[in-house]
């Protein structure tokens, strides 16, 4: 074959390539801290707020004339109080690693982690 | 010489359209049933790009890649998806060009595909990191890298099986 043509048969370099990618993946998994990465993303009508899932806090929101109280506590997020008549967001309970609470009347979406992944998949 | 350039242009057009068809087709493949990651793709349109790179040339491969990115973005996508595919595609093509120039003898198509697939994913993660302004997207990279070994292995095996049709002289009988 001419120059610049890659072999059709497996070569030792292929094994190296696989090992390199695996090593990179494992290194990344080790070096990325597993706790700090968990974020709470709160999307309102015109803003996106990001908080750490591991810092307890209470967030007061007022969207579309509806007051919402979002609580981040012990690595969980939940809506503790809402003026919304449906109360679906309150009924949703606590979300942890991957989850979404949606309050349609207020136009608020509370996500843990999953938001980034969806954006990447776009 | 004239004849060769006409031939090259025609082949580039054919491969570009083939690449677009493949990227349309792979959107229909239920690959997520096997690898349950959001947005995962097998990358069969990259088979065409690598094929063109190794059997035709670097310029032709860049042409096919850019054609595919622009046309698929016009048909399906938006500006973000265009940026994702261009950055991922350019990074993986650049890696393949470097391999072609430096250490072509020590790798097969499988290795080239795996490196290309993992860099494709890395490029997309980098773009999303810039666009979303958060480093937390890197948490998605390790699973993507594992997936790219699988997908790159599949596309590389297909590349190994494909014959070189670009050099074949056909007799034209009219």
């Amino acid at each position: 074959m001419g120059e610049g043509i890659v072999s059709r048969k497996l070569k030792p370099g292929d094994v190296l390539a696989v090992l390199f990618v695996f090593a990179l993946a494992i290194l990344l998994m080790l070096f990325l801290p597993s706790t700090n990465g968990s974020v709470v993303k709160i999307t309102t009508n015109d803003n996106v707020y990001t908080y750490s899932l591991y810092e307890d806090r209470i967030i007061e929101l007022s969207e579309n004339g509806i007051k919402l109280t979002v609580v981040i506590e012990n690595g969980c997020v939940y809506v503790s109080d809402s003026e919304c008549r449906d109360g679906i967001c309150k009924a949703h309970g606590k979300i942890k690693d991957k989850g979404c609470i949606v309050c349609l009347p207020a136009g608020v979406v509370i996500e843990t982690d999953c938001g980034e992944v969806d954006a990447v998949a776009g | 010489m004239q004849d060769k350039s006409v031939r090259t242009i025609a082949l580039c057009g054919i491969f570009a359209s083939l690449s677009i068809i493949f990227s349309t087709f792979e959107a229909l493949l239920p690959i997520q049933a096997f690898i349950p990651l959001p947005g995962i793709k097998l990358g069969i349109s990259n088979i065409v790009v690598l094929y063109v790179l190794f059997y035709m040339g670097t310029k032709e491969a860049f042409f096919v890649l850019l054609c595919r990115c622009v046309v698929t973005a016009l048909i399906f996508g938006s500006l973000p998806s265009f940026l994702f595919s261009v950055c991922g595609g350019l990074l993986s093509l650049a890696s393949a060009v470097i391999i072609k120039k430096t250490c072509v003898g020590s790798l097969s198509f499988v290795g080239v595909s795996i490196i290309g697939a993992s860099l494709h994913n890395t490029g997309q993660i980098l773009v999303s990191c810039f666009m979303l302004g958060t480093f937390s997207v890197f948490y998605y990279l390790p699973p993507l890298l594992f997936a790219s070994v699988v997908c790159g292995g599949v596309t590389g095996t297909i590349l190994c099986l494909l014959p070189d049709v670009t050099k074949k002289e056909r007799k034209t009988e009219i």
Side-chain angles (χ1 to χ4, degrees), chain A residues 42-49 59-70 79 81-90 101-110:
Chain A
I42 300 179
T43 313
T44 62
N45 292 311
D46 37 32
N47 271 312
V48 179
Y49 306 98
I59 303 141
E60 305 272 355
L61 294 168
S62 183
E63 293 290 324
N64 292 351
I66 295 170
K67 275 188 186 150
L68 275 174
T69 311
V70 182
V79 179
D81 216 5
S82 160
E83 281 183 352
C84 163
R85 59 192 148 77
D86 300 333
I88 290 171
C89 47
K90 255 160 74 183
I101 299 175
V102 181
C103 179
L104 214 50
V108 173
V109 180
I110 302 156

Side-chain angles (χ1 to χ4, degrees), chain A residues 4-14 17-18 21-22 24-26 28-29 32-34 36-37 39 116-122, chain B residues 38-39 54-55 84 100 104-111 114-115 118 128 132 134 136-142 145-146 149 160 162 164:
Chain A
I5 298 293
V6 177
S7 159
R8 287 164 193 274
K9 296 218 176 81
L10 284 177
K11 292 268 181 131
D14 296 332
V18 172
V21 175
F22 271 133
L24 199 68
I26 290 164
L28 269 172
M29 284 206 294
L32 290 169
S34 60
N36 295 347
V39 287
E116 324 287 20
V117 172
D118 281 352
V120 174
Chain B
F54 283 106
Y55 290 128
F84 281 137
K100 190 189 173 187
V104 78
S106 52
L107 283 165
S108 80
F109 273 125
V110 177
I114 289 171
I115 290 173
S118 50
S128 55
L132 298 168
T134 168
S136 52
V137 284
F138 277 97
Y139 285 88
Y140 194 43
L141 192 52
L145 286 177
F146 287 122
V149 171
C160 287
L162 291 173
D164 181 10

